[in-house]
Amino acid sequence: MKIEILFPEYGHLFGDYGNITYLKACLPDAEFIETSLNSEPAFAADDMNLIYMGPMTLNAQEMVIQKLLPYKDRIEELIRRKTCFLFTGNAMEVLFKEIIDSERRIPGLNIFDFSAVRVSDGYYTGNYYGEFNQRKVVGCKIQSSMAYGANEHCYFAKGIRGTGINRTTAYEGVRRQNFIGTYLVGPLLVMNPYFTQYLMYHMGVEKPKLAYAEAMKEAYNQRLTEFENKRTVME
């Protein structure tokens, strides 16, 4: 089993490298490939079970777009072939049509017909409570931008409480085949044990087993109780 982490020297904000740390605990025999910005992505020449990229600074986004642009066709091919991708935070924006930053329009890879608009008055922060694959999903949001586009039929999670890809929708993230992009950070896999099992299964793990399963599920159930409480502030 091969898992590629794209540009970990940049995509590590908000503790989201914890997603990889946890996967290493769940899959001790898997090969984890960390690809720096100065290296050719391993997925260019080899098939991966998962391609992961975490949230990054705004300047890093622009460098990553330029780095991945020659591999656009390969990324689209892998998505069609149902390779698992997990892009958290603003990582998915690299694959959008564009990122709008005040008067600047930064072209993305245009794999997804969305635009990201950078927030001019600082970060948006909040909690999110939704549903994915008939299971509840929880997470935190620290967004420097909002996404705009029709994701009603290609969302990651359907909202119960909290803001989706922007303030006008409760639908969170983008999903196509086994590509999942989401603004949820936290890290997502640590906070959502059932989603982690789902992801591992689609990566090719026949019987996914969670590391620290009892503690993970206890923490998850506690968070569900908190987010279901109407007195809990979501943003």
Side-chain angles (χ1 to χ4, degrees):
M1 173 148 306
K2 294 183 179 181
I3 297 165
E4 182 169 20
I5 305 102
L6 294 176
F7 323 128
E9 71 270 37
Y10 293 104
H12 59 255
L13 299 183
F14 316 128
D16 262 30
Y17 194 82
N19 288 316
I20 298 303
T21 302
Y22 185 58
L23 276 182
K24 287 180 177 179
C26 295
L27 302 169
D29 296 326
E31 179 183 357
F32 288 80
I33 303 165
E34 298 199 358
T35 300
S36 72
L37 197 65
N38 296 323
S39 302
E40 180 179 64
F43 71 73
D46 200 359
D47 289 337
M48 298 290 132
N49 297 88
L50 173 69
I51 300 168
Y52 174 85
M53 187 160 65
M56 63 199 75
T57 66
L58 307 185
N59 288 337
Q61 272 188 312
E62 297 184 42
M63 292 189 291
V64 168
I65 288 170
Q66 294 307 310
K67 177 67 179 183
L68 290 180
L69 195 56
Y71 306 101
K72 174 183 175 178
D73 290 346
R74 174 63 171 164
I75 293 171
E76 290 183 307
E77 175 196 352
L78 292 172
I79 292 173
R80 287 194 301 270
R81 289 171 49 191
K82 300 185 179 180
T83 298
C84 287
F85 288 76
L86 180 61
F87 282 21
T88 62
N90 63 1
M92 65 177 172
E93 295 176 358
V94 168
L95 305 187
F96 285 2
K97 176 176 63 179
E98 62 183 354
I99 299 171
I100 300 172
D101 186 2
S102 187
E103 300 300 317
R104 299 177 64 218
R105 289 181 178 266
I106 304 154
L109 271 65
N110 199 22
I111 292 174
F112 297 105
D113 189 21
F114 289 83
S115 296
V117 180
R118 289 178 176 169
V119 179
S120 60
D121 57 351
Y123 282 83
Y124 165 82
T125 60
N127 294 315
Y128 186 83
Y129 176 37
E131 186 176 74
F132 169 79
N133 197 42
Q134 300 181 325
R135 287 281 191 179
K136 300 300 190 296
V137 172
V138 295
C140 304
K141 292 187 153 221
I142 307 176
Q143 291 176 231
S144 59
S145 51
M146 296 279 183
Y148 295 88
N151 75 330
E152 303 95 304
H153 304 293
C154 61
Y155 58 85
F156 163 53
K158 183 177 181 179
I160 298 171
R161 300 187 69 198
T163 295
I165 58 171
N166 63 62
R167 289 184 179 275
T168 68
T169 179
Y171 292 112
E172 216 303 302
V174 177
R175 181 183 178 191
R176 181 185 297 171
Q177 302 287 12
N178 288 329
F179 176 95
I180 291 174
T182 176
Y183 281 124
L184 298 185
V185 296
L188 179 67
L189 298 185
V190 176
M191 297 177 74
N192 293 278
Y194 295 107
F195 171 68
T196 302
Q197 285 181 306
Y198 170 94
L199 180 66
M200 288 195 292
Y201 178 79
H202 285 274
M203 287 165 55
V205 181
E206 187 175 347
K207 296 181 179 179
K209 293 184 179 180
L210 295 170
Y212 322 115
E214 185 175 342
M216 301 292 292
K217 292 178 180 179
E218 182 179 348
Y220 168 78
N221 289 328
Q222 177 61 39
R223 199 165 282 111
L224 288 186
T225 300
E226 293 172 1
F227 284 10
E228 287 168 355
N229 186 338
K230 298 301 182 182
R231 292 179 295 179
T232 299
V233 176
M234 300 300 283
E235 58 180 61

